[in-house]
Coordinates of all heavy atoms in Angstrom, one line a residue:
M9 N -23.6 -2.4 -16.2 CA -24.3 -1.9 -17.3 C -23.5 -1.9 -18.6 O -22.3 -1.5 -18.5 CB -24.9 -0.5 -17.0 CG -25.9 0.0 -18.0 SD -26.5 1.6 -17.7 CE -27.6 1.2 -16.3
D10 N -24.0 -2.3 -19.6 CA -23.3 -2.5 -20.9 C -23.3 -1.1 -21.6 O -24.0 -0.2 -21.2 CB -23.9 -3.6 -21.7 CG -22.9 -4.1 -22.8 OD1 -21.7 -3.8 -22.7 OD2 -23.3 -4.8 -23.7
V11 N -22.7 -1.1 -22.8 CA -22.6 0.1 -23.6 C -23.9 0.7 -23.8 O -24.7 0.1 -24.6 CB -21.8 -0.1 -24.9 CG1 -21.8 1.1 -25.7 CG2 -20.5 -0.7 -24.6
G12 N -24.3 1.8 -23.3 CA -25.5 2.6 -23.6 C -26.8 1.8 -23.3 O -27.8 2.0 -23.9
D13 N -26.8 0.9 -22.3 CA -28.0 0.1 -22.0 C -29.2 1.0 -21.8 O -30.3 0.7 -22.2 CB -27.8 -0.8 -20.8 CG -27.1 -2.1 -21.1 OD1 -27.0 -2.4 -22.3 OD2 -26.7 -2.8 -20.2
E14 N -29.0 2.1 -21.1 CA -30.1 3.0 -20.9 C -30.7 3.5 -22.1 O -31.9 3.9 -22.2 CB -29.7 4.1 -19.9 CG -28.8 5.1 -20.5 CD -27.3 4.6 -20.4 OE1 -27.0 3.5 -19.9 OE2 -26.4 5.4 -20.8
E15 N -30.0 3.6 -23.2 CA -30.5 4.1 -24.4 C -31.1 3.1 -25.3 O -31.8 3.4 -26.3 CB -29.4 4.9 -25.2 CG -29.0 6.2 -24.5 CD -27.6 6.4 -24.4 OE1 -26.8 5.7 -25.1 OE2 -27.1 7.2 -23.6
H16 N -30.8 1.8 -25.1 CA -31.3 0.7 -26.0 C -32.8 0.7 -25.9 O -33.4 0.4 -26.9 CB -30.7 -0.6 -25.6 CG -29.3 -0.7 -25.9 ND1 -28.6 -1.9 -25.8 CD2 -28.3 0.2 -26.2 CE1 -27.3 -1.7 -26.1 NE2 -27.2 -0.4 -26.3
D17 N -33.4 0.9 -24.8 CA -34.8 0.8 -24.6 C -35.5 1.9 -25.5 O -36.5 1.6 -26.1 CB -35.3 1.0 -23.2 CG -34.7 -0.2 -22.3 OD1 -34.5 -1.3 -22.9 OD2 -34.6 0.0 -21.1
A18 N -34.9 3.1 -25.5 CA -35.6 4.1 -26.3 C -35.4 3.9 -27.8 O -36.3 4.5 -28.6 CB -34.9 5.5 -25.9
H19 N -34.4 3.2 -28.2 CA -34.2 3.1 -29.7 C -34.4 1.7 -30.2 O -34.2 1.4 -31.4 CB -32.7 3.5 -30.0 CG -32.5 4.9 -29.6 ND1 -32.9 6.0 -30.3 CD2 -31.8 5.5 -28.6 CE1 -32.6 7.1 -29.8 NE2 -31.8 6.8 -28.7
G20 N -34.8 0.8 -29.3 CA -35.0 -0.6 -29.8 C -33.7 -1.4 -29.7 O -32.6 -0.8 -29.7
P21 N -33.8 -2.7 -29.7 CA -32.7 -3.5 -29.5 C -31.7 -3.6 -30.7 O -30.6 -3.9 -30.6 CB -33.3 -4.9 -29.3 CG -34.6 -4.9 -29.8 CD -35.1 -3.4 -29.7
G22 N -32.2 -3.2 -31.9 CA -31.4 -3.2 -33.1 C -30.7 -2.0 -33.4 O -30.0 -1.9 -34.4
R23 N -30.9 -0.9 -32.6 CA -30.3 0.4 -33.0 C -29.4 0.9 -31.9 O -29.6 0.6 -30.7 CB -31.4 1.4 -33.2 CG -32.3 1.0 -34.4 CD -33.3 2.0 -34.7 NE -32.7 3.3 -35.0 CZ -33.3 4.5 -35.0 NH1 -34.5 4.5 -34.7 NH2 -32.6 5.6 -35.3
L24 N -28.4 1.7 -32.3 CA -27.5 2.3 -31.3 C -28.2 3.4 -30.6 O -29.0 4.1 -31.2 CB -26.2 2.8 -32.0 CG -25.3 1.8 -32.6 CD1 -24.2 2.5 -33.3 CD2 -24.8 0.8 -31.5
G25 N -27.8 3.6 -29.3 CA -28.3 4.8 -28.6 C -27.5 6.0 -29.0 O -26.5 6.0 -29.7
R26 N -28.0 7.1 -28.5 CA -27.4 8.4 -28.9 C -25.9 8.5 -28.5 O -25.1 8.9 -29.2 CB -28.2 9.6 -28.2 CG -27.6 10.9 -28.3 CD -27.2 11.5 -29.7 NE -28.2 11.3 -30.7 CZ -28.0 11.3 -32.0 NH1 -26.8 11.4 -32.5 NH2 -28.9 11.1 -32.8
R27 N -25.6 8.1 -27.2 CA -24.2 8.1 -26.8 C -23.3 7.3 -27.6 O -22.2 7.7 -28.0 CB -24.1 7.7 -25.3 CG -22.7 7.7 -24.8 CD -22.6 7.5 -23.3 NE -23.0 6.2 -23.0 CZ -23.0 5.7 -21.8 NH1 -22.6 6.4 -20.8 NH2 -23.4 4.5 -21.5
E28 N -23.8 6.1 -28.0 CA -23.0 5.2 -28.9 C -22.8 5.8 -30.2 O -21.7 5.8 -30.8 CB -23.7 3.9 -29.0 CG -23.8 3.1 -27.7 CD -24.9 2.0 -27.7 OE1 -26.0 2.3 -28.3 OE2 -24.6 0.9 -27.2
Q29 N -23.8 6.4 -30.8 CA -23.6 7.1 -32.1 C -22.6 8.3 -31.9 O -21.8 8.5 -32.8 CB -25.0 7.6 -32.6 CG -25.9 6.5 -33.0 CD -27.3 7.1 -33.4 OE1 -27.4 8.2 -33.8 NE2 -28.3 6.3 -33.2
D30 N -22.7 9.0 -30.8 CA -21.8 10.1 -30.6 C -20.4 9.7 -30.5 O -19.4 10.4 -30.9 CB -22.2 10.9 -29.3 CG -23.5 11.7 -29.5 OD1 -24.0 11.8 -30.7 OD2 -24.1 12.1 -28.5
I31 N -20.1 8.5 -29.8 CA -18.8 8.0 -29.7 C -18.2 7.7 -31.1 O -17.1 8.0 -31.4 CB -18.8 6.7 -28.8 CG1 -19.0 7.2 -27.3 CG2 -17.5 6.0 -28.9 CD1 -19.2 6.0 -26.4
L32 N -19.0 7.0 -31.9 CA -18.5 6.7 -33.3 C -18.3 8.0 -34.1 O -17.3 8.1 -34.9 CB -19.5 5.8 -34.0 CG -19.6 4.4 -33.4 CD1 -20.7 3.6 -34.1 CD2 -18.2 3.7 -33.6
A33 N -19.2 9.0 -33.9 CA -19.0 10.3 -34.6 C -17.7 10.9 -34.2 O -17.0 11.5 -35.1 CB -20.2 11.2 -34.4
L34 N -17.4 10.9 -32.9 CA -16.1 11.5 -32.5 C -14.9 10.8 -33.1 O -14.0 11.4 -33.4 CB -16.1 11.4 -30.9 CG -15.0 12.3 -30.3 CD1 -15.5 13.7 -30.0 CD2 -14.5 11.7 -29.1
E35 N -15.0 9.5 -33.2 CA -13.9 8.7 -33.8 C -13.7 8.9 -35.3 O -12.7 8.7 -35.8 CB -14.2 7.2 -33.5 CG -13.9 6.7 -32.1 CD -12.4 7.0 -31.7 OE1 -11.5 6.8 -32.5 OE2 -12.3 7.4 -30.5
R36 N -14.7 9.4 -35.9 CA -14.6 9.7 -37.4 C -13.8 11.0 -37.6 O -13.3 11.3 -38.7 CB -16.0 9.9 -38.0 CG -16.7 8.6 -38.3 CD -17.9 8.7 -39.2 NE -18.9 9.5 -38.6 CZ -19.9 9.1 -37.8 NH1 -19.9 7.8 -37.5 NH2 -20.8 9.9 -37.4
R37 N -13.8 11.9 -36.5 CA -13.1 13.2 -36.7 C -11.6 13.0 -36.5 O -11.1 12.1 -35.9 CB -13.6 14.1 -35.6 CG -15.1 14.5 -35.8 CD -15.7 15.2 -34.6 NE -14.8 16.1 -33.9 CZ -15.2 16.6 -32.7 NH1 -16.4 16.3 -32.2 NH2 -14.4 17.5 -32.1
G38 N -10.9 14.0 -37.1 CA -9.5 14.1 -37.0 C -9.1 15.1 -35.9 O -9.9 16.1 -35.7
F39 N -8.1 14.9 -35.2 CA -7.7 15.8 -34.1 C -6.3 16.3 -34.3 O -5.4 15.5 -34.6 CB -7.9 15.1 -32.7 CG -9.3 14.8 -32.4 CD1 -9.8 13.6 -32.7 CD2 -10.1 15.8 -31.8 CE1 -11.2 13.3 -32.4 CE2 -11.4 15.5 -31.6 CZ -12.0 14.3 -31.8
A40 N -6.1 17.6 -34.1 CA -4.9 18.3 -34.5 C -3.7 17.9 -33.6 O -2.6 17.8 -34.2 CB -5.1 19.8 -34.5
G41 N -3.9 17.8 -32.4 CA -2.7 17.6 -31.5 C -3.0 16.9 -30.3 O -4.1 16.5 -30.0
P42 N -2.0 16.7 -29.4 CA -2.2 15.9 -28.2 C -3.1 16.7 -27.3 O -3.1 17.9 -27.1 CB -0.8 15.8 -27.6 CG 0.0 16.9 -28.3 CD -0.6 17.1 -29.6
G43 N -4.0 15.9 -26.6 CA -4.9 16.5 -25.7 C -6.2 17.0 -26.3 O -7.2 17.2 -25.6
V44 N -6.3 17.2 -27.6 CA -7.4 17.8 -28.2 C -8.6 16.8 -28.2 O -9.7 17.2 -27.8 CB -7.1 18.3 -29.7 CG1 -8.4 18.8 -30.4 CG2 -6.1 19.3 -29.7
K45 N -8.3 15.6 -28.5 CA -9.3 14.5 -28.5 C -9.9 14.3 -27.0 O -11.1 14.2 -26.8 CB -8.8 13.2 -29.0 CG -9.9 12.1 -29.1 CD -9.3 10.9 -29.8 CE -10.3 9.8 -29.9 NZ -9.8 8.6 -30.6
E46 N -9.0 14.3 -26.1 CA -9.4 14.1 -24.7 C -10.3 15.2 -24.2 O -11.2 15.0 -23.5 CB -8.2 13.9 -23.8 CG -7.5 12.5 -23.9 CD -6.7 12.4 -25.2 OE1 -6.4 13.4 -25.9 OE2 -6.4 11.2 -25.6
R47 N -9.9 16.4 -24.6 CA -10.8 17.6 -24.2 C -12.1 17.5 -24.9 O -13.2 17.8 -24.2 CB -10.1 18.9 -24.7 CG -10.8 20.1 -24.2 CD -10.0 21.4 -24.4 NE -9.2 21.5 -25.6 CZ -7.8 21.4 -25.6 NH1 -7.2 21.2 -24.4 NH2 -7.1 21.5 -26.7
A48 N -12.2 17.1 -26.1 CA -13.5 16.9 -26.8 C -14.3 15.8 -26.1 O -15.5 15.9 -26.0 CB -13.3 16.5 -28.3
I49 N -13.7 14.7 -25.7 CA -14.4 13.6 -25.0 C -15.0 14.2 -23.7 O -16.2 13.9 -23.5 CB -13.4 12.5 -24.7 CG1 -13.0 11.8 -25.9 CG2 -14.0 11.5 -23.6 CD1 -11.8 10.8 -25.7
R50 N -14.3 15.0 -23.0 CA -14.8 15.5 -21.7 C -15.9 16.6 -22.0 O -17.0 16.5 -21.4 CB -13.7 16.2 -20.9 CG -12.8 15.2 -20.2 CD -11.8 16.0 -19.3 NE -11.0 15.1 -18.6 CZ -9.7 14.7 -19.0 NH1 -9.3 15.3 -20.1 NH2 -9.0 13.9 -18.4
E51 N -15.7 17.5 -22.9 CA -16.6 18.6 -23.1 C -17.8 18.2 -23.9 O -18.9 18.6 -23.6 CB -15.9 19.7 -23.9 CG -14.8 20.4 -23.0 CD -14.0 21.4 -23.8 OE1 -14.3 21.7 -25.0 OE2 -13.1 22.0 -23.2
E52 N -17.7 17.4 -24.9 CA -18.8 17.0 -25.8 C -19.6 15.9 -25.3 O -20.8 15.8 -25.5 CB -18.3 16.8 -27.2 CG -17.7 18.0 -27.9 CD -17.1 17.7 -29.2 OE1 -17.5 16.7 -29.9 OE2 -16.2 18.4 -29.6
L53 N -18.9 14.9 -24.7 CA -19.6 13.7 -24.2 C -19.8 13.6 -22.7 O -20.6 12.8 -22.2 CB -18.9 12.4 -24.7 CG -18.7 12.3 -26.2 CD1 -17.9 11.1 -26.6 CD2 -20.1 12.3 -27.0
G54 N -19.1 14.4 -22.0 CA -19.2 14.4 -20.6 C -18.6 13.2 -19.9 O -19.1 12.7 -18.9
L55 N -17.6 12.6 -20.6 CA -17.0 11.3 -20.1 C -15.6 11.5 -19.8 O -14.9 12.3 -20.4 CB -17.2 10.2 -21.1 CG -18.5 9.7 -21.5 CD1 -18.5 8.8 -22.8 CD2 -19.1 9.0 -20.4
A56 N -15.1 10.8 -18.8 CA -13.6 10.7 -18.6 C -13.0 9.9 -19.8 O -13.7 9.0 -20.2 CB -13.3 10.1 -17.3
P57 N -11.9 10.3 -20.2 CA -11.3 9.5 -21.3 C -11.2 8.0 -21.1 O -11.4 7.2 -22.0 CB -9.9 10.2 -21.5 CG -10.1 11.6 -21.1 CD -11.1 11.5 -19.9
V58 N -10.8 7.6 -19.9 CA -10.7 6.2 -19.6 C -12.1 5.5 -19.8 O -12.1 4.4 -20.4 CB -10.2 6.0 -18.1 CG1 -10.4 4.5 -17.7 CG2 -8.8 6.4 -18.0
R59 N -13.2 6.1 -19.3 CA -14.5 5.5 -19.5 C -14.9 5.5 -21.0 O -15.4 4.5 -21.5 CB -15.5 6.3 -18.7 CG -16.9 5.7 -18.8 CD -17.0 4.3 -18.2 NE -18.4 3.8 -18.4 CZ -18.7 2.6 -18.6 NH1 -17.7 1.7 -18.7 NH2 -19.9 2.2 -18.7
Y60 N -14.5 6.6 -21.7 CA -14.8 6.7 -23.1 C -14.2 5.5 -23.9 O -14.8 4.8 -24.7 CB -14.2 8.0 -23.7 CG -14.3 8.1 -25.2 CD1 -15.4 8.5 -25.9 CD2 -13.1 7.8 -25.9 CE1 -15.4 8.6 -27.2 CE2 -13.1 7.9 -27.3 CZ -14.3 8.3 -27.9 OH -14.3 8.4 -29.3
Y61 N -12.9 5.2 -23.6 CA -12.2 4.1 -24.3 C -12.7 2.8 -23.9 O -12.7 1.8 -24.7 CB -10.7 4.2 -24.1 CG -10.1 5.4 -24.9 CD1 -9.6 6.5 -24.2 CD2 -10.1 5.4 -26.3 CE1 -9.1 7.6 -25.0 CE2 -9.6 6.4 -27.0 CZ -9.1 7.5 -26.4 OH -8.6 8.6 -27.1
Q62 N -13.2 2.6 -22.7 CA -13.9 1.4 -22.3 C -15.1 1.2 -23.1 O -15.4 0.1 -23.6 CB -14.2 1.4 -20.8 CG -13.1 1.3 -19.9 CD -13.4 1.6 -18.4 OE1 -14.5 2.2 -18.1 NE2 -12.6 1.1 -17.5
L63 N -15.9 2.2 -23.2 CA -17.2 2.1 -24.0 C -16.9 1.9 -25.5 O -17.5 1.1 -26.1 CB -18.0 3.4 -23.8 CG -18.6 3.6 -22.4 CD1 -19.2 5.0 -22.3 CD2 -19.6 2.6 -22.1
L64 N -15.9 2.6 -26.0 CA -15.5 2.4 -27.4 C -15.1 1.0 -27.7 O -15.5 0.4 -28.6 CB -14.4 3.4 -27.8 CG -13.8 3.2 -29.2 CD1 -14.9 3.5 -30.2 CD2 -12.7 4.2 -29.4
N65 N -14.2 0.4 -26.8 CA -13.8 -0.9 -27.0 C -14.9 -1.9 -27.0 O -15.0 -2.8 -27.9 CB -12.7 -1.3 -25.9 CG -12.0 -2.6 -26.3 OD1 -11.5 -2.7 -27.4 ND2 -11.9 -3.5 -25.3
A66 N -15.9 -1.8 -26.1 CA -17.0 -2.7 -26.1 C -17.9 -2.4 -27.3 O -18.4 -3.4 -27.9 CB -17.9 -2.4 -24.8
L67 N -18.0 -1.2 -27.8 CA -18.8 -0.9 -29.0 C -18.2 -1.5 -30.2 O -18.9 -1.9 -31.1 CB -18.8 0.6 -29.1 CG -19.8 1.3 -30.1 CD1 -21.2 0.8 -29.8 CD2 -19.7 2.8 -30.0
L68 N -16.9 -1.7 -30.3 CA -16.3 -2.3 -31.5 C -16.7 -3.7 -31.6 O -16.6 -4.3 -32.8 CB -14.7 -2.2 -31.4 CG -14.2 -0.8 -31.4 CD1 -12.7 -0.8 -31.4 CD2 -14.7 0.0 -32.7
D69 N -17.1 -4.4 -30.6 CA -17.6 -5.8 -30.7 C -19.1 -5.9 -30.8 O -19.6 -7.0 -30.9 CB -17.1 -6.5 -29.4 CG -15.6 -6.6 -29.3 OD1 -14.9 -6.8 -30.3 OD2 -15.1 -6.5 -28.2
D70 N -19.7 -4.8 -30.9 CA -21.2 -4.8 -31.0 C -21.6 -4.8 -32.5 O -21.2 -3.9 -33.3 CB -21.7 -3.5 -30.4 CG -23.2 -3.5 -30.2 OD1 -23.9 -4.0 -31.1 OD2 -23.7 -2.8 -29.3
P71 N -22.4 -5.8 -33.0 CA -22.8 -5.9 -34.4 C -23.6 -4.7 -34.8 O -23.6 -4.3 -36.0 CB -23.6 -7.2 -34.5 CG -23.7 -7.7 -33.1 CD -22.8 -6.9 -32.2
R72 N -24.3 -4.0 -33.9 CA -25.1 -2.8 -34.2 C -24.2 -1.7 -34.6 O -24.5 -0.9 -35.5 CB -26.0 -2.4 -33.1 CG -27.0 -3.5 -32.7 CD -27.8 -3.1 -31.4 NE -26.8 -2.9 -30.3 CZ -26.8 -1.9 -29.5 NH1 -27.8 -1.0 -29.5 NH2 -25.9 -1.7 -28.6
A73 N -23.0 -1.6 -34.0 CA -22.1 -0.5 -34.3 C -21.5 -0.8 -35.7 O -21.4 0.2 -36.5 CB -20.9 -0.5 -33.3
L74 N -21.2 -2.0 -36.0 CA -20.7 -2.4 -37.4 C -21.8 -2.0 -38.4 O -21.4 -1.5 -39.5 CB -20.3 -3.8 -37.4 CG -19.7 -4.3 -38.7 CD1 -18.4 -3.6 -39.1 CD2 -19.5 -5.8 -38.7
A75 N -23.0 -2.3 -38.2 CA -24.1 -2.0 -39.1 C -24.3 -0.5 -39.3 O -24.5 0.0 -40.4 CB -25.4 -2.6 -38.7
H76 N -24.1 0.3 -38.2 CA -24.3 1.7 -38.2 C -23.1 2.4 -38.9 O -23.4 3.4 -39.7 CB -24.4 2.2 -36.7 CG -24.5 3.7 -36.6 ND1 -25.7 4.4 -36.9 CD2 -23.6 4.7 -36.3 CE1 -25.5 5.7 -36.7 NE2 -24.2 5.9 -36.4
D77 N -21.9 2.0 -38.7 CA -20.8 2.7 -39.3 C -19.6 1.7 -39.6 O -18.6 1.7 -38.8 CB -20.3 3.8 -38.3 CG -19.3 4.8 -38.9 OD1 -18.7 4.4 -40.0 OD2 -19.0 5.8 -38.3
P78 N -19.8 0.9 -40.6 CA -18.8 -0.1 -40.9 C -17.4 0.4 -41.2 O -16.4 -0.3 -40.8 CB -19.4 -0.9 -42.1 CG -20.4 0.0 -42.7 CD -20.9 0.9 -41.6
V79 N -17.2 1.5 -41.8 CA -15.9 2.0 -42.1 C -15.1 2.3 -40.8 O -14.0 1.9 -40.7 CB -16.0 3.2 -43.1 CG1 -14.6 3.9 -43.3 CG2 -16.6 2.8 -44.4
T80 N -15.8 3.1 -40.0 CA -15.1 3.5 -38.7 C -14.8 2.3 -37.8 O -13.7 2.1 -37.3 CB -16.0 4.5 -38.0 OG1 -16.1 5.7 -38.8 CG2 -15.3 4.9 -36.7
V81 N -15.8 1.4 -37.7 CA -15.7 0.3 -36.8 C -14.6 -0.7 -37.3 O -13.7 -1.1 -36.6 CB -17.0 -0.5 -36.6 CG1 -16.8 -1.8 -35.9 CG2 -18.0 0.4 -35.8
N82 N -14.6 -0.9 -38.6 CA -13.5 -1.8 -39.2 C -12.1 -1.2 -39.0 O -11.2 -1.9 -38.7 CB -13.8 -2.2 -40.6 CG -14.9 -3.3 -40.7 OD1 -14.9 -4.2 -39.9 ND2 -15.7 -3.2 -41.7
R83 N -12.0 0.1 -39.2 CA -10.7 0.8 -39.1 C -10.2 0.7 -37.6 O -9.1 0.3 -37.4 CB -10.9 2.3 -39.5 CG -9.6 3.1 -39.3 CD -9.8 4.5 -39.7 NE -10.8 5.2 -39.0 CZ -10.7 5.8 -37.8 NH1 -9.6 5.7 -37.2 NH2 -11.7 6.4 -37.2
L84 N -11.1 0.9 -36.7 CA -10.7 0.9 -35.3 C -10.4 -0.6 -34.8 O -9.6 -0.8 -34.0 CB -11.8 1.5 -34.4 CG -12.0 3.0 -34.6 CD1 -13.3 3.4 -33.9 CD2 -10.8 3.7 -34.1
R85 N -11.2 -1.5 -35.4 CA -10.8 -2.9 -35.1 C -9.4 -3.3 -35.6 O -8.7 -4.0 -34.9 CB -11.9 -3.9 -35.8 CG -13.2 -3.9 -35.0 CD -14.1 -4.8 -35.8 NE -15.4 -5.0 -35.1 CZ -16.4 -5.8 -35.6 NH1 -16.3 -6.4 -36.7 NH2 -17.5 -5.9 -34.9
R86 N -9.1 -2.8 -36.8 CA -7.7 -3.1 -37.3 C -6.7 -2.5 -36.4 O -5.7 -3.1 -36.1 CB -7.6 -2.6 -38.7 CG -8.2 -3.4 -39.8 CD -7.9 -3.0 -41.2 NE -8.2 -1.6 -41.5 CZ -9.3 -1.2 -42.0 NH1 -10.3 -2.0 -42.2 NH2 -9.5 0.1 -42.2
I87 N -6.9 -1.3 -36.0 CA -5.9 -0.6 -35.1 C -5.8 -1.4 -33.8 O -4.7 -1.6 -33.3 CB -6.4 0.9 -34.8 CG1 -6.2 1.7 -36.1 CG2 -5.6 1.5 -33.7 CD1 -6.9 3.0 -36.1
R88 N -6.9 -1.8 -33.2 CA -6.9 -2.5 -32.0 C -6.2 -3.8 -32.1 O -5.4 -4.2 -31.3 CB -8.4 -2.8 -31.5 CG -8.5 -3.5 -30.2 CD -9.9 -3.7 -29.7 NE -10.6 -4.6 -30.6 CZ -11.9 -5.0 -30.5 NH1 -12.6 -4.5 -29.5 NH2 -12.5 -5.8 -31.3
D89 N -6.5 -4.6 -33.2 CA -5.8 -5.8 -33.5 C -4.3 -5.7 -33.6 O -3.5 -6.5 -33.1 CB -6.4 -6.5 -34.7 CG -7.9 -7.0 -34.4 OD1 -8.3 -7.0 -33.3 OD2 -8.5 -7.3 -35.4
T90 N -3.9 -4.6 -34.3 CA -2.5 -4.4 -34.5 C -1.8 -4.1 -33.2 O -0.7 -4.6 -32.9 CB -2.3 -3.2 -35.5 OG1 -2.8 -3.5 -36.7 CG2 -0.8 -2.9 -35.7
R91 N -2.4 -3.3 -32.4 CA -1.8 -3.0 -31.1 C -1.8 -4.2 -30.2 O -0.8 -4.4 -29.4 CB -2.6 -1.9 -30.4 CG -2.4 -0.6 -31.0 CD -3.2 0.5 -30.4 NE -2.9 1.8 -31.0 CZ -3.7 2.9 -31.0 NH1 -4.8 2.8 -30.3 NH2 -3.4 4.0 -31.6
R92 N -2.7 -5.1 -30.3 CA -2.7 -6.3 -29.4 C -1.6 -7.2 -29.9 O -1.0 -7.9 -29.0 CB -4.1 -7.0 -29.6 CG -5.2 -6.4 -28.7 CD -6.4 -7.2 -28.8 NE -7.5 -6.6 -28.0 CZ -8.7 -7.0 -28.0 NH1 -9.1 -7.9 -28.9 NH2 -9.6 -6.4 -27.2
T93 N -1.3 -7.3 -31.2 CA -0.3 -8.2 -31.6 C 1.1 -7.6 -31.3 O 2.1 -8.4 -31.2 CB -0.4 -8.5 -33.1 OG1 -0.3 -7.3 -33.9 CG2 -1.7 -9.3 -33.4
E94 N 1.2 -6.3 -31.2 CA 2.5 -5.7 -30.8 C 2.9 -5.9 -29.4 O 4.0 -5.7 -29.0 CB 2.4 -4.2 -31.2 CG 2.4 -3.9 -32.7 CD 2.2 -2.5 -33.0 OE1 2.0 -1.7 -32.1 OE2 2.3 -2.1 -34.2
R95 N 1.9 -6.2 -28.5 CA 2.2 -6.4 -27.1 C 3.0 -7.6 -26.8 O 3.0 -8.6 -27.3 CB 0.9 -6.3 -26.3 CG 0.3 -5.0 -26.2 CD -0.9 -5.0 -25.3 NE -1.7 -3.9 -25.7 CZ -3.0 -3.7 -25.4 NH1 -3.5 -4.6 -24.6 NH2 -3.7 -2.7 -25.7

């Protein structure tokens, strides 16, 4: 199953599902220290951090995510690209 497939039907093919929107909203927030973001992922989204990052990575390649929140998506794409070139 792809990123939020179960929610696509409810919102139409051109819109992000609630979980996808929540993932982008979480990424817009700043986190004070180590472990705070992982705790928020578990408590607020009910996801394991590993699964969260899998969904987030797929979401960064989704044109609907770019249309929904271009600032966040472009920032995260730059970070991802930088990390890939450093490997």
Side-chain angles (χ1 to χ4, degrees):
M9 190 179 284
D10 202 14
V11 178
D13 277 346
E14 66 279 0
E15 288 136 18
H16 291 193
D17 296 334
H19 300 286
R23 298 185 59 195
L24 292 176
R26 170 56 45 202
R27 180 172 64 179
E28 296 162 319
Q29 292 176 26
D30 291 346
I31 288 171
L32 290 175
L34 192 91
E35 284 300 317
R36 282 192 298 273
R37 293 170 34 192
F39 293 94
V44 176
K45 183 176 183 179
E46 286 73 16
R47 187 170 35 253
I49 290 167
R50 284 188 180 95
E51 292 174 1
E52 296 175 26
L53 301 178
L55 294 170
V58 170
R59 181 65 180 143
Y60 170 85
Y61 287 111
Q62 289 170 339
L63 294 170
L64 175 61
N65 193 47
L67 193 54
L68 295 182
D69 295 324
D70 189 330
R72 296 170 309 134
L74 183 60
H76 177 78
D77 191 346
V79 173
T80 301
V81 171
N82 282 324
R83 177 178 58 83
L84 293 171
R85 283 179 176 179
R86 283 191 303 272
I87 292 168
R88 180 179 67 179
D89 292 345
T90 299
R91 289 182 178 156
R92 282 183 178 168
T93 59
E94 290 174 353
R95 289 184 203 165

